[in-house]
Amino acid sequence: SSGSGSMTTRCSSSGSGSMTTRCSSSGSGSMTTRCSSSGSGSMSTRCSSSGSGSMSTRCSSSGSGSMTTRCSSSGSGSMTTRCSSSGSGSMSTRCSSSGSGSM
């Protein structure tokens, strides 16, 4: 998404498969990503935002799978990341912010 609009992404996966989500937003708009995975599969989320907009990422994983979240924000916007994992799987979160915004 580019410009002053908003982008909303909702992803849900259950079973033994894998889910990969990549989101990119530039401008003054907002980007919201919500991902949920249950089972033995893996979930990978990558989000990038640049400009004065805001980015919100919420990820939830339950089961024996793995969850990887990478978020990057540059500019004067704000970035919020919420991750929850339950079970025997692994969770990895990497966030990077540059500029005058808040993370």
Side-chain angles (χ1 to χ4, degrees), residues 3 6-7 10 16-18 23 30 35 37 40 50-51 54-55 57 59 71-72 81 83 85 90 93 97-98 100:
S6 61
M7 178 173 65
R10 295 185 182 180
S16 59
S18 62
C23 299
S30 62
C35 296
S37 176
S40 59
S50 61
S54 61
M55 178 173 65
T57 305
C59 297
C71 297
S72 175
T81 304
C83 296
S85 177
S90 62
T93 303
S97 177
S98 61
S100 58

Side-chain angles (χ1 to χ4, degrees), residues 3-17:
S4 57
S6 61
M7 178 173 65
T8 302
T9 304
R10 295 185 182 180
C11 300
S12 176
S13 175
S14 62
S16 59

Side-chain angles (χ1 to χ4, degrees), residues 28-101:
S28 58
S30 62
M31 178 173 64
T32 302
T33 304
R34 295 184 182 179
C35 296
S36 175
S37 176
S38 62
S40 59
S42 62
M43 177 174 65
S44 175
T45 305
R46 295 185 182 181
C47 296
S48 175
S49 175
S50 61
S52 59
S54 61
M55 178 173 65
S56 174
T57 305
R58 294 184 183 181
C59 297
S60 175
S61 176
S62 62
S64 59
S66 62
M67 178 174 66
T68 303
T69 305
R70 295 185 183 179
C71 297
S72 175
S73 176
S74 61
S76 58
S78 62
M79 178 172 65
T80 303
T81 304
R82 295 183 182 179
C83 296
S84 174
S85 177
S86 62
S88 58
S90 62
M91 178 176 66
S92 174
T93 303
R94 296 183 183 179
C95 296
S96 175
S97 177
S98 61
S100 58

